[in-house]
PDB file of all heavy atoms in Angstrom:
ATOM      1  N   GLN I 607     119.901  44.977  99.673  1.00  0.00           N
ATOM      2  CA  GLN I 607     118.493  45.340  99.784  1.00  0.00           C
ATOM      3  C   GLN I 607     118.102  45.294 101.245  1.00  0.00           C
ATOM      4  O   GLN I 607     118.577  44.459 102.012  1.00  0.00           O
ATOM      5  CB  GLN I 607     117.647  44.339  98.983  1.00  0.00           C
ATOM      6  CG  GLN I 607     116.148  44.593  99.043  1.00  0.00           C
ATOM      7  CD  GLN I 607     115.379  43.487  98.351  1.00  0.00           C
ATOM      8  OE1 GLN I 607     115.744  42.316  98.491  1.00  0.00           O
ATOM      9  NE2 GLN I 607     114.335  43.844  97.648  1.00  0.00           N
ATOM     10  N   SER I 608     117.153  46.226 101.644  1.00  0.00           N
ATOM     11  CA  SER I 608     116.697  46.198 103.040  1.00  0.00           C
ATOM     12  C   SER I 608     115.293  46.757 103.132  1.00  0.00           C
ATOM     13  O   SER I 608     114.806  47.451 102.242  1.00  0.00           O
ATOM     14  CB  SER I 608     117.636  47.009 103.928  1.00  0.00           C
ATOM     15  OG  SER I 608     117.541  48.396 103.598  1.00  0.00           O
ATOM     16  N   GLN I 609     114.645  46.401 104.247  1.00  0.00           N
ATOM     17  CA  GLN I 609     113.341  46.986 104.561  1.00  0.00           C
ATOM     18  C   GLN I 609     113.224  47.088 106.062  1.00  0.00           C
ATOM     19  O   GLN I 609     113.953  46.433 106.803  1.00  0.00           O
ATOM     20  CB  GLN I 609     112.203  46.138 104.006  1.00  0.00           C
ATOM     21  CG  GLN I 609     112.023  44.795 104.723  1.00  0.00           C
ATOM     22  CD  GLN I 609     110.750  44.105 104.308  1.00  0.00           C
ATOM     23  OE1 GLN I 609     110.073  44.553 103.418  1.00  0.00           O
ATOM     24  NE2 GLN I 609     110.457  43.002 104.958  1.00  0.00           N
ATOM     25  N   THR I 610     112.285  47.927 106.527  1.00  0.00           N
ATOM     26  CA  THR I 610     112.121  48.083 107.962  1.00  0.00           C
ATOM     27  C   THR I 610     111.468  46.853 108.554  1.00  0.00           C
ATOM     28  O   THR I 610     110.727  46.150 107.878  1.00  0.00           O
ATOM     29  CB  THR I 610     111.272  49.319 108.275  1.00  0.00           C
ATOM     30  OG1 THR I 610     110.019  49.196 107.613  1.00  0.00           O
ATOM     31  CG2 THR I 610     111.961  50.581 107.828  1.00  0.00           C
ATOM     32  N   HIS I 611     111.720  46.617 109.816  1.00  0.00           N
ATOM     33  CA  HIS I 611     111.109  45.481 110.514  1.00  0.00           C
ATOM     34  C   HIS I 611     109.628  45.719 110.676  1.00  0.00           C
ATOM     35  O   HIS I 611     109.208  46.715 111.222  1.00  0.00           O
ATOM     36  CB  HIS I 611     111.713  45.339 111.916  1.00  0.00           C
ATOM     37  CG  HIS I 611     113.035  44.651 111.928  1.00  0.00           C
ATOM     38  ND1 HIS I 611     113.220  43.393 111.412  1.00  0.00           N
ATOM     39  CD2 HIS I 611     114.243  45.065 112.386  1.00  0.00           C
ATOM     40  CE1 HIS I 611     114.490  43.048 111.574  1.00  0.00           C
ATOM     41  NE2 HIS I 611     115.137  44.045 112.152  1.00  0.00           N
ATOM     42  N   SER I 612     108.804  44.829 110.200  1.00  0.00           N
ATOM     43  CA  SER I 612     107.359  44.830 110.487  1.00  0.00           C
ATOM     44  C   SER I 612     106.665  43.831 109.605  1.00  0.00           C
ATOM     45  O   SER I 612     106.793  43.864 108.395  1.00  0.00           O
ATOM     46  CB  SER I 612     106.739  46.211 110.266  1.00  0.00           C
ATOM     47  OG  SER I 612     105.361  46.115 110.476  1.00  0.00           O
ATOM     48  N   GLU I 613     105.937  42.968 110.191  1.00  0.00           N
ATOM     49  CA  GLU I 613     105.169  42.025 109.390  1.00  0.00           C
ATOM     50  C   GLU I 613     103.973  42.715 108.743  1.00  0.00           C
ATOM     51  O   GLU I 613     103.329  42.171 107.868  1.00  0.00           O
ATOM     52  CB  GLU I 613     104.680  40.871 110.266  1.00  0.00           C
ATOM     53  CG  GLU I 613     103.767  41.310 111.419  1.00  0.00           C
ATOM     54  CD  GLU I 613     103.312  40.148 112.260  1.00  0.00           C
ATOM     55  OE1 GLU I 613     103.691  39.012 111.915  1.00  0.00           O
ATOM     56  OE2 GLU I 613     102.596  40.366 113.249  1.00  0.00           O
ATOM     57  N   HIS I 614     103.685  43.947 109.224  1.00  0.00           N
ATOM     58  CA  HIS I 614     102.559  44.684 108.690  1.00  0.00           C
ATOM     59  C   HIS I 614     102.990  45.708 107.643  1.00  0.00           C
ATOM     60  O   HIS I 614     102.187  46.488 107.187  1.00  0.00           O
ATOM     61  CB  HIS I 614     101.820  45.418 109.809  1.00  0.00           C
ATOM     62  CG  HIS I 614     101.318  44.507 110.866  1.00  0.00           C
ATOM     63  ND1 HIS I 614     100.329  43.593 110.654  1.00  0.00           N
ATOM     64  CD2 HIS I 614     101.704  44.372 112.169  1.00  0.00           C
ATOM     65  CE1 HIS I 614     100.083  42.917 111.776  1.00  0.00           C
ATOM     66  NE2 HIS I 614     100.906  43.371 112.699  1.00  0.00           N
ATOM     67  N   ARG I 615     104.260  45.726 107.305  1.00  0.00           N
ATOM     68  CA  ARG I 615     104.760  46.728 106.355  1.00  0.00           C
ATOM     69  C   ARG I 615     104.068  46.577 105.021  1.00  0.00           C
ATOM     70  O   ARG I 615     103.630  45.493 104.643  1.00  0.00           O
ATOM     71  CB  ARG I 615     106.278  46.569 106.187  1.00  0.00           C
ATOM     72  CG  ARG I 615     106.944  47.710 105.423  1.00  0.00           C
ATOM     73  CD  ARG I 615     106.853  48.999 106.195  1.00  0.00           C
ATOM     74  NE  ARG I 615     107.463  50.086 105.443  1.00  0.00           N
ATOM     75  CZ  ARG I 615     107.466  51.332 105.826  1.00  0.00           C
ATOM     76  NH1 ARG I 615     106.872  51.682 106.937  1.00  0.00           N
ATOM     77  NH2 ARG I 615     108.042  52.267 105.113  1.00  0.00           N
ATOM     78  N   ASP I 616     103.964  47.688 104.280  1.00  0.00           N
ATOM     79  CA  ASP I 616     103.320  47.644 102.969  1.00  0.00           C
ATOM     80  C   ASP I 616     103.863  46.499 102.141  1.00  0.00           C
ATOM     81  O   ASP I 616     105.071  46.366 101.942  1.00  0.00           O
ATOM     82  CB  ASP I 616     103.551  48.958 102.218  1.00  0.00           C
ATOM     83  CG  ASP I 616     102.977  50.146 102.958  1.00  0.00           C
ATOM     84  OD1 ASP I 616     102.278  49.928 103.978  1.00  0.00           O
ATOM     85  OD2 ASP I 616     103.210  51.257 102.518  1.00  0.00           O
ATOM     86  N   ALA I 617     102.985  45.645 101.631  1.00  0.00           N
ATOM     87  CA  ALA I 617     103.394  44.457 100.892  1.00  0.00           C
ATOM     88  C   ALA I 617     103.724  44.799  99.447  1.00  0.00           C
ATOM     89  O   ALA I 617     103.015  44.431  98.528  1.00  0.00           O
ATOM     90  CB  ALA I 617     102.304  43.402 100.966  1.00  0.00           C
ATOM     91  N   LEU I 618     104.802  45.566  99.261  1.00  0.00           N
ATOM     92  CA  LEU I 618     105.232  45.944  97.914  1.00  0.00           C
ATOM     93  C   LEU I 618     106.704  45.605  97.748  1.00  0.00           C
ATOM     94  O   LEU I 618     107.510  45.828  98.658  1.00  0.00           O
ATOM     95  CB  LEU I 618     105.022  47.453  97.684  1.00  0.00           C
ATOM     96  CG  LEU I 618     103.581  47.939  97.688  1.00  0.00           C
ATOM     97  CD1 LEU I 618     103.551  49.462  97.574  1.00  0.00           C
ATOM     98  CD2 LEU I 618     102.807  47.316  96.543  1.00  0.00           C
ATOM     99  N   ALA I 619     107.056  45.060  96.609  1.00  0.00           N
ATOM    100  CA  ALA I 619     108.460  44.727  96.350  1.00  0.00           C
ATOM    101  C   ALA I 619     109.286  45.986  96.273  1.00  0.00           C
ATOM    102  O   ALA I 619     108.877  46.969  95.672  1.00  0.00           O
ATOM    103  CB  ALA I 619     108.573  43.938  95.041  1.00  0.00           C
ATOM    104  N   LEU I 620     110.480  45.974  96.887  1.00  0.00           N
ATOM    105  CA  LEU I 620     111.342  47.146  96.881  1.00  0.00           C
ATOM    106  C   LEU I 620     112.590  46.857  96.072  1.00  0.00           C
ATOM    107  O   LEU I 620     113.146  45.775  96.125  1.00  0.00           O
ATOM    108  CB  LEU I 620     111.739  47.522  98.301  1.00  0.00           C
ATOM    109  CG  LEU I 620     110.605  47.846  99.270  1.00  0.00           C
ATOM    110  CD1 LEU I 620     111.181  48.259 100.620  1.00  0.00           C
ATOM    111  CD2 LEU I 620     109.725  48.934  98.707  1.00  0.00           C
ATOM    112  N   GLU I 621     113.050  47.859  95.349  1.00  0.00           N
ATOM    113  CA  GLU I 621     114.323  47.723  94.650  1.00  0.00           C
ATOM    114  C   GLU I 621     115.451  47.824  95.659  1.00  0.00           C
ATOM    115  O   GLU I 621     115.265  48.362  96.742  1.00  0.00           O
ATOM    116  CB  GLU I 621     114.456  48.825  93.592  1.00  0.00           C
ATOM    117  CG  GLU I 621     113.477  48.671  92.438  1.00  0.00           C
ATOM    118  CD  GLU I 621     113.750  49.683  91.344  1.00  0.00           C
ATOM    119  OE1 GLU I 621     114.722  50.426  91.474  1.00  0.00           O
ATOM    120  OE2 GLU I 621     112.988  49.678  90.369  1.00  0.00           O
TER     121      GLU I 621
END
Side-chain angles (χ1 to χ4, degrees):
Q607 179 186 40
S608 67
Q609 69 170 6
T610 57
H611 280 303
S612 176
E613 61 180 358
H614 301 293
R615 190 65 181 176
D616 299 353
L618 294 175
L620 301 183
E621 292 187 4

